[in-house]
Amino acid sequence: MPEMRIAIIGGGIAGLSAAYEVEKARAAGAQVEYTLFESRERLGGSLASEIVNGSVIERGPDSFLTEKPAAAELCRELGLGAELLPSNDAARKTYILVKNRLVALPDGLMFLVPTKLIPTALTRLFSFSTKIRMALELLHPPRPSGLPDEAVAALVERHFGAEAVDRLADPLLSGIYGGDAAELSARTVLPRLVEMETQYGSLTRGMLAAHRQMRARAKAAAKNNGHSIAGSGGPQAPRPIFTALRGGMQQLVDALARCLDPASVRLATPVSAIRKTASGWEVVFAGGSQSCDALIVASPAWAAGVLLSPVDPSLGEELSAIPYSSSITVNLVYDEKALGPLPEGFGFLVPASEGRAMLACTFVHRKFLGRTPPGTAVFRAFLGGIRNEALLTDSDEALVAIVRRELSEILGEKTIGLHVEPEYTQVSRWRRAMAQYAVGHQERAARIAARAAEFPGLHLAGNAYDGIGIPDCIRLGRRAAKELLSPGL
Ligand SMILES: Cc1cc2nc3c(=O)[nH]c(=O)nc-3n(C[C@H](O)[C@H](O)[C@H](O)COP(=O)(O)OP(=O)(O)OC[C@H]3O[C@@H](n4cnc5c(N)ncnc54)[C@H](O)[C@@H]3O)c2cc1C
């Protein structure tokens, strides 16, 4: 008899990471059994990719932030170390669409904060009055600590003006969260900027100070490790901003799935109810139920809210109150010879004020080298987001037509005219997939954690709580499993 039976609800990257950790413990001799319930017919949640004529086509995320180690660590553990692929940062350049013209983000922009005088003065991204405001920002007084949370838009507008919200904060954040800068929490989404404002007043001064400290630390470390660095072939190369997998994110899903015991994975099995019993929990699904000692709920918070409401109405209510946005990705594959010259760089972002359906477009063949055959160009457009959910009901043909028309209007008829047919198109809809960290999110997440802690054996994981990206979801999934297996860790 196992000492512990664990049910994991949701087979996205958070639930898969939790299951992997439990499986590892089981393989090492722990008396534990688990079942991973996934409502869809496949594992991976938002992570899904395929290879079409040699091109990696990502339906969901294409990479993760290198700065957060949990994803690359897991990939290495799974034997995917050689598959990790750095972003092609030498060619990194991102544009913002301003009055239907692509304007490159100025050099020296760090977390929305301009730190270099000349590129900021010369950019066509901002009007003269916004540039003056950016210069005067150096005199911004510190904000007292302990004030309530506020929207990202309020923080950015206070420092750099409304145009910086429209042309910078909003498009960058809608690219990440599919959200709205007027709704997203500054404290959760931009915690460093909130701290800098309290300490320095000016975000530019804060960012420059942080940069100086980072460089001093790197210099000191290089001095201390002089021998070992020299021994390893000279100074370390800078870390790439993004890391992908050569064969697509599906590689990570497949590698995790291979580690799991097939008998412990139940696909196409949505959990319809959770009950608290005298000795633990009961998980109910179509045609059956299962008793367990512990639960990791790794479904989106809206689904967790429905399941946990009967157990604890206030927990259910808090979970259900976390807003979500939906998005659509449209991949278009072209023969590069049929296209005209494309601007340098990774792609562009579209402010809401441009009135377009597209939120962003990545030039996939530029961002990661070696994932498309030579001579092939792949465009990956994002649509939808919190402001344009209605697009989800459009047909694939209509969505492809919108993206082709907008690309032609933005990049020019000569570059990607409507007469040039894509070789392959693919549309993916992600309904209510991205949690939105609205103003007050940290307090809500703390209340959720406190309520959940009232129920021994109940853990929550996923993108709704403490990080939207893949590394955070992996970290939370693995942590939930570790805490169950070794309480008090
Ligand atoms: C289009 C897109 C692009 C993105 N790009 C990036 C990127 O480039 N880099 C990055 O780091 N992040 C990116 N993200 C964010 C990141 O992919 C997600 O935040 C993360 O994958 C969420 O993982 P999760 O396990 O929390 O949730 P999900 O992937 O949503 O998984 C939850 C799972 O729970 C299942 N489920 C729901 N209800 C039940 C139930 N009752 N019973 C059983 N199962 C249930 C669902 O079917 C789903 O499979 C992107 C997301 C999207 C949608």
Side-chain angles (χ1 to χ4, degrees):
M1 267 299 269
E3 269 172 24
M4 191 191 283
R5 285 174 69 98
I6 303 175
I8 301 165
I9 302 174
I13 190 63
L16 271 172
S17 304
Y20 166 72
E21 203 59 47
V22 179
E23 177 61 48
K24 244 176 52 171
R26 193 175 77 104
Q31 296 296 303
V32 61
E33 267 182 14
Y34 66 96
T35 307
L36 173 61
F37 293 95
E38 167 52 49
S39 47
R40 297 188 186 136
E41 289 182 358
R42 58 170 289 278
L43 292 170
S46 304
L47 274 64
S49 50
E50 60 203 32
I51 298 181
V52 179
N53 298 332
S55 294
V56 174
I57 305 291
E58 296 282 10
R59 289 174 172 271
D62 67 350
S63 56
F64 44 81
L65 274 179
T66 313
E67 181 187 39
K68 298 196 169 194
E73 269 168 26
L74 177 62
C75 290
R76 288 196 189 94
E77 239 179 272
L78 293 165
L80 294 175
E83 299 299 301
L84 294 171
L85 182 68
S87 48
N88 177 24
D89 291 351
R92 184 162 157 256
K93 197 171 191 182
T94 304
Y95 301 86
I96 306 281
L97 190 70
V98 179
K99 299 185 180 139
N100 208 41
R101 284 175 69 178
L102 292 178
V103 178
L105 281 177
D107 201 20
L109 205 64
M110 297 165 84
F111 280 104
L112 309 175
V113 179
T115 61
K116 286 192 180 165
L117 186 68
I118 293 174
T120 309
L122 295 181
T123 181
R124 283 190 289 118
L125 186 57
F126 304 119
S127 62
F128 183 66
S129 55
T130 296
K131 289 177 188 175
I132 298 287
R133 181 142 189 190
M134 286 176 162
L136 293 176
E137 199 272 341
L138 286 162
L139 307 174
H140 200 287
R143 193 168 189 246
S145 58
L147 292 178
D149 191 12
E150 62 177 340
V152 166
L155 171 76
V156 175
E157 185 167 351
R158 189 165 58 248
H159 286 262
F160 304 116
E163 200 177 66
V165 175
D166 175 45
R167 296 191 182 167
L168 207 55
D170 207 50
L172 282 169
L173 293 172
S174 80
I176 302 171
Y177 292 88
D180 183 345
E183 305 288 333
L184 292 169
S185 149
R187 201 180 282 165
T188 314
V189 172
L190 300 172
R192 279 181 77 190
L193 299 196
V194 173
E195 277 167 31
M196 279 173 188
E197 188 184 37
T198 312
Q199 195 182 346
Y200 296 94
S202 159
L203 300 180
T204 306
R205 278 196 291 125
M207 201 50 94
L208 288 171
H211 194 56
R212 274 195 302 275
Q213 284 162 11
M214 220 168 68
R215 278 181 34 189
R217 272 201 300 270
K219 229 169 154 179
K223 212 169 159 190
N224 289 342
N225 300 333
H227 291 302
S228 57
I229 288 178
S232 66
Q236 281 170 336
R239 257 193 326 211
I241 300 197
F242 303 105
T243 300
L245 284 163
R246 278 177 213 286
M249 283 299 152
Q250 190 62 41
Q251 277 187 295
L252 176 55
V253 175
D254 293 344
L256 282 166
R258 273 196 300 275
C259 293
L260 304 183
D261 167 23
S264 300
V265 178
R266 297 197 60 153
L267 294 178
T269 311
V271 170
S272 54
I274 294 172
R275 293 192 194 115
K276 185 83 195 81
T277 62
S279 59
W281 301 90
E282 189 183 17
V283 168
V284 183
F285 45 89
S289 69
Q290 196 181 89
S291 307
C292 57
D293 307 298
L295 262 184
I296 298 176
V297 183
S299 64
W302 46 265
V306 172
L307 293 173
L308 287 165
S309 275
V311 175
D312 183 284
S314 74
L315 176 60
E317 205 174 295
E318 294 279 15
L319 287 164
S320 305
I322 296 179
Y324 271 75
S325 72
S326 305
S327 61
I328 301 165
T329 56
V330 176
N331 277 285
L332 303 178
V333 180
Y334 285 91
D335 176 356
E336 216 169 8
K337 284 198 297 294
L339 304 176
L342 194 64
E344 291 167 7
F346 284 5
F348 60 86
L349 300 164
V350 185
S353 56
E354 291 292 307
R356 299 224 167 248
M358 234 194 285
L359 297 170
C361 179
T362 307
F363 307 153
V364 174
H365 52 296
R366 295 265 186 78
K367 187 172 173 186
F368 295 102
L369 299 180
R371 299 214 306 176
T372 40
T376 300
V378 181
F379 298 85
R380 194 165 102 101
F382 291 81
L383 298 91
I386 205 97
R387 296 196 190 95
N388 211 348
E389 302 255 328
L391 281 174
L392 284 165
T393 53
D394 281 15
S395 68
D396 285 8
E397 293 71 28
L399 291 167
V400 167
I402 290 173
V403 172
R404 287 184 63 196
R405 180 173 45 75
E406 292 198 351
L407 278 178
S408 171
E409 287 166 2
I410 294 167
L411 296 172
E413 177 72 10
K414 285 194 181 128
T415 293
I416 187 162
L418 286 175
H419 59 281
V420 188
E421 285 294 324
E423 291 179 341
Y424 177 76
T425 65
Q426 187 237 66
V427 176
S428 304
R429 291 171 186 74
W430 298 105
R431 286 191 170 79
R432 298 177 82 193
M434 295 288 269
Q436 301 293 295
Y437 297 161
V439 174
H441 177 80
Q442 281 185 359
E443 290 77 6
R444 185 185 303 287
R447 288 194 298 274
I448 289 174
R451 284 307 307 170
E454 299 282 313
F455 298 91
L458 172 64
H459 285 264
L460 299 165
N463 74 10
Y465 310 104
D466 186 27
I468 194 85
I470 294 169
D472 287 313
C473 294
I474 291 173
R475 177 176 57 82
L476 292 185
R478 296 185 78 169
R479 190 178 75 187
K482 281 185 187 157
E483 281 176 0
L484 277 180
L485 297 165
S486 320
L489 254 187

